[in-house]
Amino acid sequence: MSDLDWLTTAVDLAVANVADGGGPFGAVLVAGGVRIGSGQNRVTRDNDPTAHAEVVAIRAACAARGDFSLAGATLYSSCEPCPMCMASALWARVERVVYAADRHDAARGGFDDREFYELFARDRGTWPTRVEAVALPAGPAPFDAWLAAADRVAY
C-alpha cells in the first residue's frame, strides 16, 4: 500500500471513531508494508488525556513488537500530531510521521493544538501551569541507581 492508502486508513479510523462517539483522530503504524498498530482517540471514552490516537497506536505497535523501539516504522495520522504525540513518536524512534489535516484544521474543529506548540516556545514563567524545580539532595539518586545497574536496557 502507498502513503495515500495508509493515510486514508488513518482518516477512516478517525471518521469511524466520531461515529462511535469519540474524537476525530486516527493513526496507523506501519513497518515493512505491514500494519503493526493502530489507534483511535480514546480520551473521553477512557477518561485518559494521554489516549490520543497516535499514543494508542504506539502502545499497540510496541506491544505487538515486544519492544519499545519502533525504529523503521512510519506513523500515519489523520491529523498533525500534537506536541505530546510527536514527542511519543520521537521516544519510540519512529522513522517517519505522515499526516493529513494540520493544526489549523484541528483548531477549526475545536482542538487547538497550536496553543501547545506556541506554549512550548514561551518561557515557562508565562505558562498557566506552574513548573518548578526543587533542589533535593537525593534528586539524582534514581540516575545513580540506573548507572550502577548492570542489567539496564539502554534507550
Side-chain angles (χ1 to χ4, degrees), residues 25-97:
F25 302 96
V28 179
L29 271 149
V30 176
V34 176
R35 182 192 309 202
I36 59 171
S38 60
Q40 295 168 301
N41 182 283
R42 298 291 186 219
V43 171
T44 56
R45 186 197 80 174
D46 296 350
N47 293 318
D48 179 354
T50 69
H52 290 199
E54 297 88 344
V55 172
V56 172
I58 288 168
R59 290 173 182 162
C62 288
R65 265 199 176 173
D67 194 348
F68 63 84
S69 174
L70 298 176
T74 299
L75 172 63
Y76 294 94
S77 180
S78 63
C79 187
E80 180 179 7
C82 73
M84 176 185 70
C85 293
M86 188 58 71
S88 298
L90 292 169
W91 276 112
R93 310 320 193 256
V94 168
E95 184 176 311
R96 291 176 64 219
V97 175

